[in-house]
Amino acid sequence: MKNYLTASTYIDFDHPDVAARAAALAEGAATALEVARNCFGFVRDEIRHSADYKLNPVTCKASDVLRHGTGYCYAKSHLLAALLRANGIPAGLCYQRLSVGTDGAPYCLHGLNAVHLPQFGWYRIDARGNKPGVAAQFSPPTEALAFAVRPPMERDLPEIWAEPLPVVIDALETYTTYDQVLANLPDVVLLA
């Protein structure tokens, strides 16, 4: 669990602003479940999704997402992991491989989180941000993610990563505007 509780370059909960926000979200909460719910709600509802709102700059580090109030799903997952870890709650990063359009190629990754809750174990949450057709919720033990996968080429990638995938970091650090990222969303090749 240690890897899911540490600060890093992109999950920088040791940044004073992130630490302060994490403490504020935990204030008055009696359990880890309540803290996790508060953190999830804040990132889902208060941090705007870059493509939905056509916002720059492109953010990657949790502290930058918090400072600018915007991020792609990947960056929002970095902030949520940072807020949870700052409160001593193990959190990791998860990905889905989804169609960019309504069906078929091209495909891209979608970033979300897994949080380890004492009552439930690992539980996936998706703070991407709701909009018409997207209604992610925090309702353990039932998952209520932003997107359902449609086989055969869409997939829930089963891993829980402690750090962002390099292809995600590359996309968020290479492109400087939201529309450039939107035109170059990261993807992975499925082995089977």
Side-chain angles (χ1 to χ4, degrees), residues 45-59:
D45 300 339
E46 301 300 325
I47 304 298
R48 293 173 292 179
H49 189 281
S50 299
D52 289 354
Y53 289 90
K54 300 178 174 26
L55 291 174
N56 293 313
V58 174
T59 56

Side-chain angles (χ1 to χ4, degrees), residues 74 92-98 107-114 122-125 143 145 147-150 152-161 163-168 186-192:
Y74 324 104
L93 306 170
C94 298
Y95 300 94
Q96 294 175 314
R97 185 177 194 249
L98 303 173
Y107 296 92
C108 70
L109 292 177
H110 168 60
L112 55 146
N113 295 87
W122 284 109
Y123 171 67
R124 291 189 311 164
I125 52 178
E143 285 186 355
L145 305 179
F147 304 107
V149 298
R150 298 167 297 179
M153 294 306 292
E154 291 190 346
R155 301 274 176 82
D156 280 317
L157 303 183
E159 299 86 357
I160 300 172
W161 282 274
E163 290 297 319
L165 291 180
V167 68
V168 167
D187 189 18
V188 294
V189 176
L190 297 178
L191 299 177

Side-chain angles (χ1 to χ4, degrees), residues 10 13 15 23 34 38 42-43 48 50 55-56 58 67 86 98 114 124 132 137 148 168 178 183 191:
Y10 301 102
F13 68 79
H15 187 284
E34 291 176 25
N38 293 347
F42 170 76
V43 175
R48 293 173 292 179
S50 299
L55 291 174
N56 293 313
V58 174
R67 179 181 324 114
L98 303 173
R124 291 189 311 164
Q137 302 298 320
V168 167
Y178 83 89
L191 299 177

